[in-house]
Amino acid sequence: MDNEETGDMRVPSTDSVRVAVRVRPFSQREKSSGSQCVISMHSQSTTIRDPKDRELVRTFTFDLAYWSHDGFQKGEDGVLIPSDPSSKFAGQSDVFHDIGRGILDSAWRGYNATLLAYGQTGSGKSYSMIGFGTNKGIIPRVCEELFQAIEKQKENVEAQVMFSMLEIYNEQIRDLLSRTKAPGGLKVREDQQLGFFVAGLKWVPCGNYAQVEKLMEQGSKIRMTASTNMNASSSRSHVLVTIQFKQVFLDTALTKQSSINMVDLAGSERQKSSGSEGDRLREGSRVNLSLTSLGNVISALADSAMGKKVLHIPYRDSVLTKLLQSALGGNSRTTLIAAISPADICYEETLSTLRYAERAKKVQNKAVVNTCTLVRASRAENKLLLGSGDAGAAEHSARFLAELQLGTRVTWAHLLEQARREWEQQHAALTEEQEMVKTLPHLLNVNEDPQLTGVLKYFIHDGSCDGGRAASNAIRLQGLGISDKHVSFVNLDSRVTVAPHGKCKVIVNGVPVTNRTKLQHLDRIILGSNSAFLYIGFPSERGAEDLSRFDYDFFQLERAAAEGVSVGTFGALSPGAGQADPSILAVFQDYVKLMPMVVEANQMSEELGKGLKMELKVKNLASSDSRGYDLQKEVMVKVTKQQTREVWIWSKAKFINRKFLMEELYQRFLESGDSHVAQEDDPFWDPVEAVHLGSAHIWLQSLAHCMMLEEQVEFLNCDGLEEAVLHIRIAPCSPEGWAQGEEDMVIDPLELLGKRIDFQIHIVRCLGVKWLKEDATRGIQMGYKVYDLPNILYTKPVWNNVNPRIEETIHFAALGASLEFLNYLLTNALIVDLWGLQEGCVHLGFSQLDVLLTEEGHIMVDSKNFSSVKKVGQITSNQMPELYQKLLRSEQETELLRHVNRALREENVFLKASLENTGSTQQAQKSDNPKGASMTAQLPTATESKQKCAQQASCDAQLARALKAFYQGMSRARGRLLTLRQCRPPEDDQMLRPFVHQQSQMLKELEDLLESSLQKLKTDVAFIVKKKKEEYLLPSQQ
């Protein structure tokens, strides 16, 4: 026998954590949204491509890489297999062959083995671990092959298998094999010799795989019921399946023991810092604590393996890391399988998962073979019973703890007999249920976690049966928004109908129902806030349907479609391709994902008496940047306190964090009836804040021609609807603030290059503010930013006035206009944001210490050419006049040189033309006139030159006025076009015809406006050209 068999030596085996990555197929939601694949694999390498920058790719190398995205088909038994010999598809059997068999090999040799599944929600973690239908995952396959191998063992070896299954949610442990729930969950205890263990956890002896299979079904049912009762998302919980495998060699008095831990971790949703940093309660929820702590442990262990000095490994920071202490850096052979999505809309999450896995593969473990003699085991057992314990006790902790929980030391055979009797009782109930499934119509639960879908079955017997919370109901339902008497089912004459009680919420196939409705086979039913069920009809109605397509996503997409939400709602499809931009797809996915969460949050608010109403909005849905391009869209949640009409806007990340906290408070309310919490800790409360109401675009091209612009433009809110009207005036002026006239207009903006440009922005008033119409106690502020200013400029707050007069003017100056600044004026708009103020909120403002001022005290823009100029707060009063005097002298000297250069060019052209005229006249009148007289006759007099200059100036002014009128027309056209772009077709089909008629009228008006503006410009230019021709022809005729 070698050392592993005799147990004479316990030499640590140093191994790195083994890492595998697996990419799943597109989900139905991703297919319908037209998602693109950003993942590619070759051998052990995994490459991810940035959907926003196709040239940016990142490659990771792991121990194993599984391509399960495509190239497969369903076999006769429903198992997914490669579609052809050249396919690189990796099925469940391939994953088990590499990972599962490695776990079994370690267990038989006496090593502890751990498997962790990591990835975002819906990435395929549970599919790899548990599987679905005939496509069994690693856990059931490991259990099945373990018992198959046990049956082939020699008679002198007794194999003992103990099974446990627990769930960790919000730092509480629930035993999934026990129907009794411990208040506050089971506790993690620590023993000097045993390490961390779960006190009171049920361990079940198993003699065959069938028992393990039924135990897992039972655990899933308890998990589903618990998550429904607590309104807790299963994707936010960890499931830990542990098998204690002990081999007793009867002829050598030797024992060999292995602990197999298989962990399906919670979804690793990456919280965007931009969303969570603004939440005062971002540290309040404990839902993500275990995953965060696990990441910290892995990072610390990876740093230690790389030779960095690490003072502390934070195992004690969470329940999960305590229980996994031996699996990470301890006595275990550990494998991490990173499940990733191939979709472009999941790029950030997938990249985060790959980086996490890359850190994990650096972790070093020191596994030993767990062996000892029966004599040592007996002594250790005695000491454990006496409460003293020693090293041997640690090796046999699981079995002895299980026996202690049963209250006595008993033989293994007796433990198996007890487990068998309990299993037979449960088996009888399961058999009865299976018979009812074949004959009766029933409801199957549908859960976000595919492993929990179909776990609960509610049978609809002949006659009438009610469903609800009350124990008297034939169908006992739990969940948010479920009333005591919620719904009624009637099974009569091979026909099943459903009807809500009173105003209870019942949705069938995405549509709310209020009257009794006949159910068809495979109808989708949602009761309360989000309790989803698939209706299975009578046996005569059933066929060979694939029920797996009616998953959680199907329900939510159907519900969204019924409410008029689709990809097209958030942006137009790409021309020709018929596909939306990846950013629009991401917004659509987020919106659909948050829809049921918002419904649940509203229900909790109602039941807890918080008085909040939450509704989904899309930030920048109808907004564009200063150049007219669409801004990045993001889902947000508008929160309104109905009693006080206070409003908040929460980001996606902030809302998700708050919902977890709401669930904690709601669970406390269910358990104790108490929902009181200090205001600063209340997830339903926030201090009042300013709310962004909308934006207005004022195009600046007229300023590039030194023309005044005065307009009334609409503030458009996030839905593209008019929120208010802004009256604004933008006027070029002198450094002293005097308005410029038509004689100062320029045709070519390049004439302003290098010159000083002064202009004033005058916000006159705001008209018809809906925010103020809704509540007279509210106020508004406006803010805007010009070119390269570092800060936003805000107007003074105005309260209690639906048409507030602002009358605020700010003077700006560009001391030497750059080409970039002139291009900005020609191609960009000034964006003015409208902000709503609420009583008690902080006003918006800025510090002038962050801007540069001219000598006259005007705000300087286009200041990059004056980088040597200090900020206002850094310039002393003595330095200011001297500095600006130098700038002004430099500007004056430059302007003088330009005038001289321009005058010399004009004189040169004039003299050249005169010489050509003189030559032609001399040739015609060579014999009649003296040479000197001919030259003199052709030169214009000073009076004639002045007249020509005046005529040229008159034409330039006329052309400037024509351009001004044209630009004003184009600004109006831009505004109408923007309004047209944001119009969405109505949900009601009856309103479609008036909508189309209205759109046609708006298009006709836009066409007329463009036509009239162009026609007027053509007429004005033709008149100016004609006039110039007449002026040039008149002297030649004379």
Side-chain angles (χ1 to χ4, degrees), residues 815 852-853 860 862-872 874-875 879 883-884 886-887:
L815 297 184
L852 297 173
L853 301 179
M860 188 189 300
D862 194 21
S863 58
K864 67 178 181 180
N865 294 328
F866 301 93
S867 57
S868 59
V869 180
K870 298 180 181 179
K871 289 186 178 181
V872 177
Q874 299 172 320
I875 301 176
Q879 292 173 316
L883 182 62
Y884 283 104
K886 289 180 180 178
L887 287 172

Side-chain angles (χ1 to χ4, degrees), residues 729-733 737-738 758-762 809-812:
R729 184 185 303 121
I730 302 177
C733 62
W738 299 106
D758 286 81
F759 60 95
Q760 293 178 340
I761 296 179
H762 180 199
T809 303
I810 296 182
H811 191 130
F812 301 89

Side-chain angles (χ1 to χ4, degrees), residues 854-998:
T854 66
E855 184 182 22
E856 301 86 0
H858 308 321
I859 294 178
M860 188 189 300
V861 295
D862 194 21
S863 58
K864 67 178 181 180
N865 294 328
F866 301 93
S867 57
S868 59
V869 180
K870 298 180 181 179
K871 289 186 178 181
V872 177
Q874 299 172 320
I875 301 176
T876 65
S877 58
N878 294 329
Q879 292 173 316
M880 188 84 74
E882 180 183 354
L883 182 62
Y884 283 104
Q885 284 296 331
K886 289 180 180 178
L887 287 172
L888 289 173
R889 280 199 301 272
S890 175
E891 183 186 358
Q892 290 168 357
E893 290 170 1
T894 304
E895 189 63 24
L896 180 61
L897 288 172
R898 287 197 184 95
H899 279 305
V900 171
N901 186 44
R902 192 180 295 111
L904 288 172
R905 279 205 319 269
E906 291 175 355
E907 185 177 353
N908 183 39
V909 172
F910 181 76
L911 288 174
K912 184 177 179 180
S914 299
L915 286 172
E916 289 174 355
N917 289 335
T918 301
S920 61
T921 304
Q922 285 177 342
Q923 188 174 0
Q925 301 177 348
K926 193 172 183 180
S927 59
D928 300 330
N929 298 313
K931 184 177 180 180
S934 176
M935 176 75 73
T936 306
Q938 295 301 319
L939 293 175
T941 64
T943 303
E944 290 172 340
S945 297
K946 290 181 180 180
Q947 288 176 348
K948 286 187 176 182
C949 290
Q951 291 166 356
Q952 180 67 30
S954 174
C955 289
D956 289 349
Q958 289 174 349
L959 183 57
R961 282 193 292 271
L963 285 173
K964 178 181 179 181
F966 178 71
Y967 284 137
Q968 288 175 338
M970 288 301 98
S971 293
R972 290 194 298 272
R974 280 178 189 265
R976 294 188 184 183
L977 183 60
L978 189 61
T979 303
L980 264 173
R981 285 180 60 195
Q982 310 311 331
C983 290
R984 305 291 178 194
E987 299 177 11
D988 188 355
D989 292 342
Q990 295 181 353
M991 299 300 294
L992 195 57
R993 187 180 296 276
F995 172 78
V996 172
H997 178 72
Q998 182 186 17

Side-chain angles (χ1 to χ4, degrees), residues 33-34 344 567-568 571-574 578-585:
S33 301
D344 47 8
V567 176
L573 298 177
S574 302
Q579 295 179 348
D581 183 84
S583 62
I584 293 175
L585 291 176

Side-chain angles (χ1 to χ4, degrees), residues 22-69:
R22 188 181 191 188
V23 59
R24 62 161 172 77
F26 282 135
S27 67
Q28 188 59 46
R29 187 189 298 179
E30 290 163 348
K31 286 179 183 178
S32 60
S33 301
S35 296
Q36 300 296 309
C37 179
V38 295
I39 298 294
S40 60
M41 286 181 173
H42 180 72
S43 185
Q44 295 175 309
S45 297
T46 300
T47 301
I48 182 170
R49 172 177 48 81
D50 190 336
K52 297 179 182 177
D53 182 0
R54 302 183 69 87
E55 300 299 320
L56 181 59
V57 295
R58 295 177 173 86
T59 300
F60 300 83
T61 303
F62 300 108
D63 299 286
L64 299 163
Y66 297 109
W67 179 263
S68 302
H69 175 60

Side-chain angles (χ1 to χ4, degrees), residues 150-212:
I150 288 174
E151 291 176 1
K152 300 175 184 178
Q153 280 296 299
K154 300 175 182 178
E155 294 181 358
N156 62 342
V157 180
E158 181 182 66
Q160 302 175 3
V161 177
M162 306 278 283
F163 183 89
S164 73
M165 187 175 182
L166 62 85
E167 178 183 46
I168 303 173
Y169 178 80
N170 199 25
E171 289 301 282
Q172 292 188 8
I173 298 176
R174 182 178 182 93
D175 189 344
L176 295 180
L177 301 183
S178 174
R179 298 188 181 276
T180 58
K181 181 190 174 186
L186 301 179
K187 303 302 180 185
V188 176
R189 305 296 185 195
E190 185 179 14
D191 181 86
Q192 186 176 1
Q193 301 298 330
L194 306 179
F196 293 107
F197 64 92
V198 180
L201 181 65
K202 183 175 182 179
W203 290 87
V204 180
C206 296
N208 54 59
Y209 171 64
Q211 287 179 297
V212 173

Side-chain angles (χ1 to χ4, degrees), residues 714-717 720-725 767-768 770:
E714 296 174 332
F715 280 111
L716 297 180
N717 61 21
L721 304 176
E722 180 185 311
E723 185 68 30
V725 175
L767 303 169
K770 292 182 179 178

